Amino acid sequence: MKDAAEMYIPTFDDVRAAYERVKPHIHRTPVLRSSYLDGLTGAELFFKCENFQKAGAFKVRGASNAVFGLSDGEARKGVATHSSGNHALSLSYAAGRRGIPCHVVMPRTAPQAKKDAVRGYGGIITECEPSTSSREEYFARVHAETGADFVHPYNDPRVIAGQGTCSLELMEQMKDFGGGLDMVVAPIGGGGMISGTCLTLATIAPDVKVIAAEPEQADDAARSFRAGRIIADDAPETIADGLKVPLKELTWHFVSTYVADVLTASETEIVDAMKLIWQRMKIVMEPSSAVPLATILKNPDTFRGKRVGVIVTGGNVDLAKLPWMQA
Amino acid sequence: MKDAAEMYIPTFDDVRAAYERVKPHIHRTPVLRSSYLDGLTGAELFFKCENFQKAGAFKVRGASNAVFGLSDGEARKGVATHSSGNHALSLSYAAGRRGIPCHVVMPRTAPQAKKDAVRGYGGIITECEPSTSSREEYFARVHAETGADFVHPYNDPRVIAGQGTCSLELMEQMKDFGGGLDMVVAPIGGGGMISGTCLTLATIAPDVKVIAAEPEQADDAARSFRAGRIIADDAPETIADGLKVPLKELTWHFVSTYVADVLTASETEIVDAMKLIWQRMKIVMEPSSAVPLATILKNPDTFRGKRVGVIVTGGNVDLAKLPWMQA
């Protein structure tokens, strides 16, 4: 693995270029408010709703930036990734828009619904065994056979610059709400969204604190943050299934340089926050997206009286298996 | 029961006055689109999202119009109704905003969550037995004791004028989407929303067809429409629990005069449409609100190539008892 010094670190110019590139392919998602949740937290909350995004998640920003940034020659061979989540969907969506192949290595044990969704967007699935060694073996083979461009779910400067377009939009939209923000809270898994958020805000709104929100049961980013080095967990288990992956060198660069704090919430707190948002805001979102509100409710003194942006990262959830049904 | 000739029939001026009156107390709810559902239906669908409305449903428009239209003398005695659904919530909300009492007669068997929600908005509940005779007896007593103004859930000109503000907003918002509509589809139960929609569109957009959507299992409006007189069912059963009530003289006036057609959908079709909207649009809405899409999917030839407004009436649903869990 390369360290950050060897990798290209994206700049705000890359975010601006990414925005021009991805704009025709993504939604400018709305910012929603809830007077009930404002009352409950004593804060002013501004929910940036990437659950309404194309392919159902913010990941389409980074994936589209990678896909539409390829030269025609590069693009012809397609793109490839390993993911069983929103990145696989988003990359398939973006590749489909460009009319190029998208190869996805997925464990054969992944839910049928996820495989169907990737195929629905035109993705070509290669099934591997559910182990890291099998995934790497299959991915290397697909990569060698196709010559496709590897788009990592988060440890890729193009992906981070793409995710940075989300807070660019949010800050523009804040003008409709009479001003800026004191902080932005976003979930942290591999750190792609948080890195993009830091990248953008450090340039256009450096006074806005970036706070990462993480499940207690997958708190590798919180422990990394305190230890000053990447600590990766082996197979953490949490309902917030988008947040199980570890930081990598490029996202660690942004987390260690810009993030103000990493707050955690328990599984019960995450599920309660998710249910509260569904009930009160009438929006469908993933467990991962509820972690920010869970940490806000848990740390009222940190947020009271503040204007807080909350990134609702995605809305792809299995409606037949909602967490409050599993009691 | 009085017939329509004896009741005041609201006019479009009443809708305009209602809008000025209720505007400070309601949300201007967004109009959402779905490229997936457009592709599936071959129509251009514009979803007017009253599930994001205050108190979670369009009913707050009519309830607020009634409450804020009272003189101070009338208001002092409060308002009263019998309902176990969104009208009870909405009237409690509006009365709370005006600081006057709201008396609600509800069957003691109504779900605890509904009672809690009404009380949460400050409503005062009187429990009756779950029968029409008991409800009428208790309501007459509450009415006599309090002198409160009776606000019927739909057979009331103030309520119909209030519901008419929804399509007034929708037609204004359509300017952002480059033009008008060919039709509007809304669910029909007692007919308050449909009547308000007819009232407004007959004046400001008389070429827009109004289509009522109804569960097959509670198709009294469809049968009334074809028979040319009100046919009321005795206790119909449907998952779309907001749509079990019959038409009354005032709503029948609007339905019989202005509605272009009443289309029906089966329980399965309603649940499938509901799930589709949750999955694809990432919004939480009630089974009743899915009936329009269910009828659109069932009658593709009627809607293909048309610009169709769809009223999403409410979002108050028990998240622990979603219909696709009961298979």
Side-chain angles (χ1 to χ4, degrees):
Chain A
M1 188 190 281
K2 293 178 282 190
D3 70 22
E6 297 172 56
M7 291 190 80
Y8 173 70
I9 295 178
T11 66
F12 182 62
D13 284 343
D14 295 315
V15 177
R16 259 201 244 276
Y19 198 46
E20 290 311 308
R21 198 174 281 135
V22 305
K23 232 187 216 174
H25 309 291
I26 66 167
H27 287 307
R28 184 179 173 94
T29 56
V31 175
L32 297 186
R33 311 223 40 203
S34 162
S35 50
Y36 177 84
L37 293 178
D38 280 3
L40 194 64
T41 59
E44 289 178 77
L45 305 179
F46 300 87
F47 293 87
K48 175 67 172 160
C49 288
E50 292 288 298
N51 54 328
F52 296 147
Q53 190 49 272
K54 287 280 176 191
F58 77 89
K59 295 255 179 186
V60 80
R61 294 174 182 270
S64 299
N65 189 41
V67 163
F68 286 93
L70 295 173
S71 71
D72 286 346
E74 290 163 335
R76 208 166 299 127
K77 296 176 184 163
V79 286
T81 198
H82 45 73
S83 159
S84 53
N86 287 331
H87 178 64
L89 274 181
S90 297
L91 197 65
S92 303
Y93 164 84
R97 296 275 292 200
R98 189 155 180 188
I100 63 174
C102 176
H103 303 277
V104 181
V105 174
M106 270 175 106
R108 63 170 171 72
T109 52
Q112 190 58 38
K114 296 235 168 178
K115 295 179 192 170
D116 291 345
V118 166
R119 290 196 182 104
Y121 284 117
I124 303 153
I125 296 175
T126 301
E127 296 194 351
C128 64
E129 295 304 307
S131 73
T132 306
S133 59
S134 169
R135 188 194 69 191
E136 286 176 354
E137 183 196 326
Y138 275 82
F139 185 78
R141 198 183 302 164
V142 167
H143 198 202
E145 280 171 10
T146 61
D149 190 274
F150 175 35
V151 184
H152 190 278
Y154 52 92
N155 200 48
D156 182 313
R158 303 168 297 177
V159 170
I160 290 173
Q163 320 306 29
T165 63
C166 179
S167 8
L168 188 63
E169 262 180 24
L170 171 60
M171 295 311 291
E172 279 175 19
Q173 291 169 304
M174 287 307 298
K175 291 173 195 156
D176 297 339
F177 297 103
L181 290 170
D182 297 305
M183 4 177 120
V184 169
V185 191
I188 191 163
M193 168 50 77
I194 280 285
S195 296
T197 305
C198 291
L199 173 54
T200 294
L201 295 181
T203 299
I204 67 170
D207 293 340
V208 179
K209 279 190 195 169
V210 177
I211 295 181
E214 195 177 37
E216 254 171 43
Q217 289 190 191
D219 68 343
D220 55 290
R223 286 182 292 124
S224 302
F225 185 74
R226 300 196 203 299
R229 64 185 166 82
I230 299 180
I231 299 173
D233 276 336
D234 197 34
E237 256 320 311
T238 167
I239 184 84
D241 58 353
L243 306 181
K244 293 177 182 176
V245 288
L247 296 168
K248 296 258 182 193
E249 63 269 39
L250 201 51
T251 51
W252 171 243
H253 165 76
F254 286 99
V255 170
S256 59
T257 312
Y258 298 107
V259 164
D261 206 352
V262 184
L263 300 175
T264 61
S266 71
E267 298 293 293
T268 309
E269 289 160 347
I270 295 167
V271 173
D272 288 349
M274 178 176 168
K275 202 171 168 187
L276 203 55
I277 291 177
W278 284 48
Q279 274 175 331
R280 286 290 172 163
M281 298 185 65
K282 315 295 181 187
I283 62 174
V284 168
M285 39 99 102
E286 303 171 0
S288 302
S289 300
V291 184
L293 181 64
T295 63
I296 292 169
L297 289 168
K298 193 173 186 169
N299 299 277
D301 295 343
T302 307
F303 297 96
R304 194 176 295 118
K306 305 287 190 217
R307 288 166 70 89
V308 184
V310 179
I311 313 289
V312 180
T313 42
N316 293 326
V317 67
D318 184 347
L319 291 175
K321 275 194 197 168
L322 297 172
W324 48 82
M325 312 299 301
Q326 299 166 0
Chain B
M1 189 190 279
K2 292 177 282 190
D3 70 24
E6 297 172 55
M7 290 190 82
Y8 173 70
I9 295 179
T11 66
F12 182 62
D13 283 343
D14 295 314
V15 177
R16 259 201 244 275
Y19 198 46
E20 289 313 308
R21 199 175 280 137
V22 306
K23 231 187 216 173
H25 309 290
I26 65 168
H27 286 307
R28 185 180 174 93
T29 56
V31 175
L32 297 186
R33 311 223 38 203
S34 162
S35 49
Y36 177 82
L37 293 178
D38 280 3
L40 195 63
T41 59
E44 291 178 77
L45 305 178
F46 300 87
F47 293 87
K48 175 66 173 162
C49 288
E50 292 288 299
N51 54 330
F52 296 147
Q53 190 49 272
K54 286 281 177 191
F58 76 88
K59 296 254 178 186
V60 81
R61 295 175 181 270
S64 299
N65 189 40
V67 163
F68 286 94
L70 295 173
S71 71
D72 285 346
E74 291 163 336
R76 207 167 300 128
K77 296 177 185 165
V79 286
T81 199
H82 45 74
S83 159
S84 53
N86 287 331
H87 178 66
L89 274 181
S90 296
L91 197 65
S92 303
Y93 164 83
R97 295 275 292 200
R98 186 152 182 189
I100 63 174
C102 176
H103 303 277
V104 181
V105 173
M106 271 174 104
R108 64 170 171 71
T109 51
Q112 190 59 38
K114 296 235 167 176
K115 296 180 192 168
D116 291 346
V118 166
R119 290 196 183 103
Y121 284 117
I124 303 154
I125 296 175
T126 301
E127 297 194 351
C128 64
E129 294 305 307
S131 73
T132 306
S133 59
S134 169
R135 190 193 68 192
E136 286 176 355
E137 183 197 326
Y138 275 82
F139 185 77
R141 198 183 303 165
V142 167
H143 199 202
E145 279 172 11
T146 60
D149 189 275
F150 174 36
V151 183
H152 189 278
Y154 53 91
N155 200 48
D156 182 313
R158 303 167 297 175
V159 170
I160 289 173
Q163 318 308 28
T165 63
C166 180
S167 8
L168 187 64
E169 262 181 24
L170 171 60
M171 294 312 291
E172 279 175 20
Q173 290 169 305
M174 286 308 298
K175 291 173 194 155
D176 298 340
F177 297 103
L181 290 170
D182 297 305
M183 1 177 122
V184 169
V185 191
I188 190 162
M193 168 50 78
I194 280 286
S195 296
T197 305
C198 290
L199 173 55
T200 294
L201 295 181
T203 299
I204 67 169
D207 293 340
V208 180
K209 279 189 192 168
V210 177
I211 295 180
E214 195 177 36
E216 255 170 43
Q217 290 191 191
D219 67 345
D220 55 291
R223 287 183 292 123
S224 303
F225 185 74
R226 300 197 202 298
R229 64 186 167 81
I230 299 180
I231 299 174
D233 276 336
D234 197 34
E237 255 321 309
T238 167
I239 183 84
D241 58 352
L243 307 181
K244 293 178 185 176
V245 288
L247 296 168
K248 296 258 182 193
E249 61 270 39
L250 202 51
T251 51
W252 171 243
H253 164 77
F254 286 99
V255 170
S256 58
T257 312
Y258 298 108
V259 163
D261 206 353
V262 184
L263 301 175
T264 61
S266 72
E267 299 293 292
T268 309
E269 289 160 347
I270 295 167
V271 172
D272 287 350
M274 177 176 169
K275 202 170 168 189
L276 204 54
I277 291 177
W278 284 48
Q279 274 176 332
R280 285 291 171 163
M281 298 185 65
K282 316 295 182 188
I283 62 174
V284 169
M285 39 100 102
E286 303 171 359
S288 302
S289 300
V291 184
L293 181 64
T295 63
I296 292 169
L297 289 168
K298 193 172 186 169
N299 299 277
D301 294 343
T302 307
F303 297 97
R304 195 176 294 118
K306 306 286 191 219
R307 288 166 69 90
V308 184
V310 178
I311 313 289
V312 179
T313 43
N316 293 326
V317 66
D318 184 348
L319 291 175
K321 275 195 197 166
L322 297 172
W324 48 80
M325 313 298 303
Q326 299 166 0

